Amino acid sequence: MKNIQVSSVFISFYIIVFVTLLFSRAEAQAPQSFIPAPTNIDQSSCPCVLPDNSVFFRVHAPYASHLQIDLAKKYDMEKDEEGYWTVQTEPVDPGFHYYFLIIDGVPVADPASRTFYGTGRMISGIEIPSGSERFFDIKENPHGTVRTHHYYSKVTESWRNLVVYTPPDYENNAEKEFPVVYLQHGGGEDETGWTNQGRVRHILDNLIAEGKAKPMIVVMADGHLPGLPGGYSTSAMENIKKEMTEVIVPFVDAKYRTLQNPRNRAISGLSMGGGQSFYIGLGNLDTFGSVGVFSSGIFGGIRSVPGRTFDAENEIPGLLTKASDFNQKLDVFYLSCGHSDMRIEHTIHAVDTMREHGLDVEFNSFDGDHDWNVWRESFRDFASRLFK
Amino acid sequence: MKNIQVSSVFISFYIIVFVTLLFSRAEAQAPQSFIPAPTNIDQSSCPCVLPDNSVFFRVHAPYASHLQIDLAKKYDMEKDEEGYWTVQTEPVDPGFHYYFLIIDGVPVADPASRTFYGTGRMISGIEIPSGSERFFDIKENPHGTVRTHHYYSKVTESWRNLVVYTPPDYENNAEKEFPVVYLQHGGGEDETGWTNQGRVRHILDNLIAEGKAKPMIVVMADGHLPGLPGGYSTSAMENIKKEMTEVIVPFVDAKYRTLQNPRNRAISGLSMGGGQSFYIGLGNLDTFGSVGVFSSGIFGGIRSVPGRTFDAENEIPGLLTKASDFNQKLDVFYLSCGHSDMRIEHTIHAVDTMREHGLDVEFNSFDGDHDWNVWRESFRDFASRLFK
């Protein structure tokens, strides 16, 4: 059995090299002007991006009867006589997108692309280049470091992962202490999302180099607690609040040179993680002095109850009636949403209501939907307002 | 299109939750006594491991016509009337194994499992528990940190990734300097292999806690140089030698508190990475004082030329004829191989030949084939001999 395993893995490797060669030969049939997506596995020439930002896919599957690409919408692929299936999508917005390859009805990760943890599983991602250097691209600035830790959680009674970004000068000055922003992913994602999909390390390296953000530590935790209720329910919010305030913050403050006061501690997140930040942050203003809520569904159909109206005062007692108390304790209370996100109306309504009651709310919106392009923009915007 | 994307991703998430519920209901039909594999995505109950270490797989694919699992060998799955395909494998050795799900002839990553970079792509991995705590399991010891960096390579003229483990007390003593072991992955893998598949952080945390290894830094680089010749060719070895000695070692020495002399610098690797370590290490004894070569093909059919005999003196001039010079400079020269690996005979022959010429060679072999279980054992063994 063992020898078969060896040969299996190594033969697979050589088959891949061989198929890659085949691909390069077959490339003559592919669109003339294209670039391989940056998210491709090293040897893959497909998927490739055409000048109009449509994407060309090719998959070898001579024995399958129906192949599709699900990238924003489903595209049927067409098979040639050599068993290669191809399709060219409509133009796709620059930036990061999840996608599936669907083989005879089964959605899987495309072997040609990097995988990312999203929608509760490993899923393909594609980065559509914008044609010019962006704020989330790696540049020749001083670079921070991304570290991974395991910590034991008394909430889940298990070992859990934590991802931490430290700014470029964290290592250079052994005495200096830094502010910290806690940054939560969305539903179905995990603690790797903000690094892999969100490119938070490049965003901060660039902001810091340009003098647009204070050097800060970013802590990215897993917002799903296995074995415990998830989503937006009250018990889910109580559990993640306990995990954050009683386990993660003390772990980080013990492990890193942090400034340990609310003026130097922020919490933020996207979608479900935005909801977590709203409840954990506004409910613990002696711990967190700034709160960022990106693209969260809590402002309409809160806690997964469709049609239920967001009642800020009910969710966080005093938020409307004692707004000045909150203003005094909050440095930055920030909301954002994508222009095309179905959450935008509810979010703007919540911002208006809170402002009418005298609460200081900062708000911004960006081109895009419920997607990582809006979240990269949101974090850039939020981070540049923090710790000033 | 955007709205479709949102719904697509979120509907997918809910579909997954729904399918998971279906799975749990269908579990009644699954083997009675099983545990989900530790490599499963959170909500997956399959694949699951039975008491005899056979593995039960279940995949929902009502429209596919042929499903297989490739785990050491290919197993045909059988479909029930609800469209669930199942199979139970033969018993599998405890430890880590790559595997594929094959849908109508297309090998893909199983959506139910974590993916790993292996065989030149993202591939499923399964960890078969051994039933007792092992040296590569996380324990309640002080834990080191794994960091990722980007560095610019003048060899490939591109940004590249580097993974670095620092031992538990690296942070506690801002003055202390540490020895470094460079640790290379195998062909078709990348710089993440030793952390994700190899569990090097737990292995070292445990060894250090037990006093069996010196606290050391581990540097894991990507041994594939995109756009340049790969494998075992002379030019590939020259390129990776240049990358290692002129780019990576200086980057690490500038970034970390390292002991910068050959007595405190080792290089090692598995398979292709073992070959790299042999050439880079023995060819640069003013840089590296210890060399570890795990399961490498170089000792037979060297440099991908089948049947070509390994000629140590030709590969590293003086290695046999001036063995005492090498002995003087080398602290540890270590080879290892799996008992069932087809490379074992050539490796033992090479060890015998080198020893006959007076070269000090340390050798060990382990149960297993050309697989991560042997490489975890090899690194544990090698690390515990270093820097003494």
Side-chain angles (χ1 to χ4, degrees):
Chain A
M1 196 173 83
K2 292 286 196 67
N3 274 325
I4 298 171
Q5 178 180 16
V6 178
S7 358
S8 167
V9 165
F10 278 77
I11 287 170
S12 300
F13 179 65
Y14 290 112
I15 285 175
I16 285 159
V17 173
F18 179 61
V19 167
T20 306
L21 291 173
L22 267 184
F23 266 41
S24 353
R25 289 189 53 193
E27 214 60 72
Q29 298 154 32
Q32 288 297 304
S33 172
F34 69 91
I35 50 166
T39 29
N40 289 9
I41 296 291
D42 289 346
Q43 295 112 329
S44 303
S45 52
C46 283
C48 56
V49 183
L50 282 78
D52 68 351
N53 282 352
S54 62
V55 185
F56 180 80
F57 289 88
R58 186 203 337 258
V59 178
H60 192 231
Y63 308 111
S65 50
H66 189 205
L67 255 66
Q68 293 174 298
I69 293 292
D70 183 358
L71 172 58
K73 59 179 267 189
K74 285 184 185 165
Y75 299 91
D76 289 323
M77 305 184 81
E78 284 188 23
K79 184 179 167 185
D80 70 13
E81 55 200 14
E82 289 176 1
Y84 285 94
W85 297 72
T86 56
V87 72
Q88 182 173 335
T89 69
E90 296 167 10
V92 177
D93 285 339
F96 180 87
H97 304 269
Y98 291 124
Y99 80 95
F100 284 107
L101 166 66
I102 305 178
I103 304 174
D104 289 337
V106 187
V108 295
D110 180 356
S113 288
R114 287 266 160 196
T115 56
F116 299 82
Y117 192 78
T119 71
R121 56 184 285 185
M122 300 308 293
I123 176 176
S124 296
I126 185 167
E127 182 84 28
I128 309 291
S130 70
S132 59
E133 201 174 53
R134 295 301 309 277
F135 65 93
F136 49 75
D137 287 330
I138 188 169
K139 296 177 189 173
E140 275 191 58
N141 300 322
H143 295 153
T145 304
V146 169
R147 306 159 190 233
T148 60
H149 296 281
H150 298 293
Y151 69 94
Y152 190 82
S153 165
K154 62 177 185 183
V155 178
T156 62
E157 296 181 338
S158 61
W159 289 102
R160 289 167 57 71
N161 297 342
L162 196 67
V163 181
V164 178
Y165 163 90
T166 53
D169 59 345
Y170 185 83
E171 318 279 355
N172 302 340
N173 187 335
E175 302 300 318
K176 195 175 170 188
E177 296 175 332
F178 293 82
V180 184
V181 53
Y182 292 79
L183 185 59
Q184 293 294 104
H185 60 81
E189 294 165 347
D190 71 8
E191 74 281 0
T192 63
W194 274 105
T195 307
N196 295 345
Q197 291 96 307
R199 297 206 184 181
V200 79
R201 66 191 304 165
H202 304 321
I203 294 175
L204 264 183
D205 285 347
N206 294 337
L207 284 177
I208 293 167
E210 293 162 14
K212 292 180 181 166
K214 287 276 167 69
M216 62 184 82
I217 293 169
V218 186
V219 176
M220 294 156 280
D222 183 355
H224 294 290
L225 301 175
L228 295 172
Y232 288 100
S233 70
T234 303
S235 60
M237 289 299 171
E238 285 305 312
N239 287 328
I240 189 72
K241 186 191 287 186
K242 194 172 178 181
E243 175 84 353
M244 187 61 74
T245 57
E246 296 180 20
V247 183
I248 297 173
V249 171
F251 178 89
V252 170
D253 280 345
K255 198 107 188 161
Y256 287 89
R257 297 191 310 276
T258 56
L259 289 162
Q260 305 185 5
N261 57 60
R263 291 279 174 237
N264 287 291
R265 206 184 277 121
I267 186 164
S268 55
L270 74 92
S271 199
M272 181 188 81
Q276 293 172 344
S277 303
F278 181 88
Y279 290 105
I280 299 172
L282 297 179
N284 295 275
L285 291 182
D286 294 334
T287 303
F288 301 99
S290 294
V291 177
V293 183
F294 317 149
S295 309
S296 186
I298 59 166
F299 305 116
I302 188 171
R303 297 185 179 178
S304 297
V305 183
R308 179 171 158 184
T309 312
F310 175 67
D311 179 347
E313 184 69 17
N314 185 48
E315 299 299 337
I316 305 288
L319 191 61
L320 300 185
T321 53
K322 296 177 182 173
S324 63
D325 291 2
F326 282 82
N327 289 340
Q328 208 167 7
K329 288 190 165 185
L330 275 167
D331 280 321
V332 178
F333 178 38
Y334 173 93
L335 272 65
S336 72
C337 198
H339 293 143
S340 315
D341 192 326
M342 61 182 177
R343 294 156 190 79
I344 185 96
E345 276 184 44
H346 287 298
T347 305
I348 289 174
H349 179 71
V351 169
D352 290 344
T353 305
M354 293 189 286
R355 282 179 175 167
E356 280 160 20
H357 286 81
L359 195 67
D360 294 337
V361 185
E362 303 180 32
F363 175 69
N364 209 346
S365 60
F366 305 98
D367 280 342
D369 199 325
H370 203 63
D371 62 40
W372 274 102
N373 308 309
V374 170
W375 303 327
R376 290 174 179 175
E377 293 274 9
S378 295
F379 182 71
R380 171 174 75 155
D381 192 25
F382 181 62
S384 66
R385 297 166 190 245
L386 287 176
F387 313 127
K388 297 270 160 102
Chain B
M1 194 174 81
K2 293 288 197 64
N3 274 325
I4 299 172
Q5 177 180 17
V6 179
S7 358
S8 165
V9 166
F10 278 79
I11 288 171
S12 300
F13 178 64
Y14 290 113
I15 286 174
I16 285 157
V17 172
F18 179 62
V19 168
T20 307
L21 290 173
L22 268 184
F23 266 42
S24 354
R25 289 188 54 191
E27 215 59 73
Q29 299 155 30
Q32 289 297 307
S33 173
F34 68 92
I35 50 167
T39 28
N40 288 8
I41 296 292
D42 289 346
Q43 295 113 327
S44 304
S45 53
C46 283
C48 56
V49 183
L50 282 77
D52 68 349
N53 283 349
S54 62
V55 186
F56 180 79
F57 289 88
R58 185 201 339 256
V59 178
H60 193 230
Y63 308 112
S65 49
H66 189 205
L67 256 66
Q68 294 174 298
I69 294 291
D70 184 356
L71 171 58
K73 59 177 268 190
K74 284 184 186 166
Y75 298 91
D76 288 323
M77 304 184 83
E78 285 188 19
K79 184 181 170 185
D80 70 14
E81 54 200 15
E82 289 175 359
Y84 285 95
W85 297 73
T86 57
V87 73
Q88 182 175 335
T89 69
E90 295 166 10
V92 177
D93 286 339
F96 180 87
H97 304 270
Y98 291 124
Y99 79 95
F100 285 106
L101 166 66
I102 305 178
I103 305 175
D104 289 338
V106 188
V108 295
D110 180 355
S113 289
R114 288 266 161 197
T115 55
F116 299 81
Y117 192 78
T119 69
R121 54 184 287 185
M122 300 308 294
I123 175 175
S124 296
I126 186 167
E127 182 83 28
I128 308 292
S130 69
S132 58
E133 202 174 52
R134 296 298 312 274
F135 64 94
F136 49 75
D137 288 330
I138 188 169
K139 297 178 189 171
E140 275 191 56
N141 299 323
H143 294 153
T145 304
V146 169
R147 307 158 189 232
T148 60
H149 295 280
H150 298 294
Y151 69 93
Y152 190 81
S153 165
K154 63 177 185 183
V155 177
T156 61
E157 296 182 338
S158 61
W159 289 100
R160 290 167 57 72
N161 297 340
L162 195 69
V163 180
V164 179
Y165 163 91
T166 53
D169 60 344
Y170 186 84
E171 318 280 354
N172 302 340
N173 188 335
E175 302 301 318
K176 195 175 170 188
E177 295 175 331
F178 293 82
V180 184
V181 53
Y182 292 78
L183 185 59
Q184 293 296 102
H185 60 80
E189 294 165 345
D190 70 7
E191 73 282 0
T192 65
W194 273 105
T195 306
N196 295 345
Q197 290 96 306
R199 298 206 185 180
V200 79
R201 65 191 304 165
H202 305 321
I203 294 174
L204 263 184
D205 286 347
N206 295 336
L207 284 177
I208 293 167
E210 293 162 14
K212 292 179 181 165
K214 287 277 167 69
M216 62 184 83
I217 294 169
V218 186
V219 176
M220 295 156 279
D222 183 355
H224 294 289
L225 301 175
L228 295 172
Y232 288 99
S233 69
T234 302
S235 60
M237 290 298 170
E238 285 305 313
N239 287 328
I240 190 71
K241 185 191 288 186
K242 194 172 180 182
E243 175 84 352
M244 186 61 74
T245 57
E246 296 180 21
V247 184
I248 297 174
V249 171
F251 178 88
V252 170
D253 280 345
K255 198 106 187 163
Y256 287 88
R257 296 191 312 275
T258 55
L259 289 162
Q260 305 186 5
N261 57 62
R263 290 277 175 239
N264 288 291
R265 207 184 276 120
I267 186 164
S268 55
L270 74 91
S271 199
M272 181 187 82
Q276 293 172 344
S277 302
F278 182 88
Y279 289 105
I280 299 171
L282 297 179
N284 293 275
L285 291 181
D286 294 333
T287 304
F288 301 99
S290 294
V291 176
V293 182
F294 317 149
S295 307
S296 187
I298 58 168
F299 305 114
I302 190 171
R303 297 187 180 180
S304 298
V305 183
R308 179 171 160 184
T309 312
F310 175 68
D311 179 348
E313 184 69 17
N314 185 49
E315 299 299 338
I316 305 288
L319 190 61
L320 300 185
T321 51
K322 297 177 182 171
S324 62
D325 292 1
F326 282 82
N327 289 340
Q328 207 168 7
K329 287 190 166 187
L330 275 167
D331 280 321
V332 180
F333 178 39
Y334 175 91
L335 273 65
S336 72
C337 197
H339 293 145
S340 314
D341 193 326
M342 62 182 177
R343 294 157 190 79
I344 185 94
E345 276 184 45
H346 287 298
T347 304
I348 290 173
H349 179 71
V351 170
D352 290 344
T353 306
M354 293 189 287
R355 282 178 175 168
E356 280 161 19
H357 287 80
L359 195 67
D360 294 336
V361 185
E362 304 180 32
F363 174 70
N364 210 346
S365 60
F366 304 98
D367 280 341
D369 199 326
H370 203 63
D371 62 42
W372 274 101
N373 308 309
V374 170
W375 302 327
R376 289 174 179 175
E377 292 276 7
S378 295
F379 181 71
R380 171 173 76 155
D381 192 25
F382 181 62
S384 66
R385 298 166 189 245
L386 287 176
F387 313 127
K388 296 269 159 102

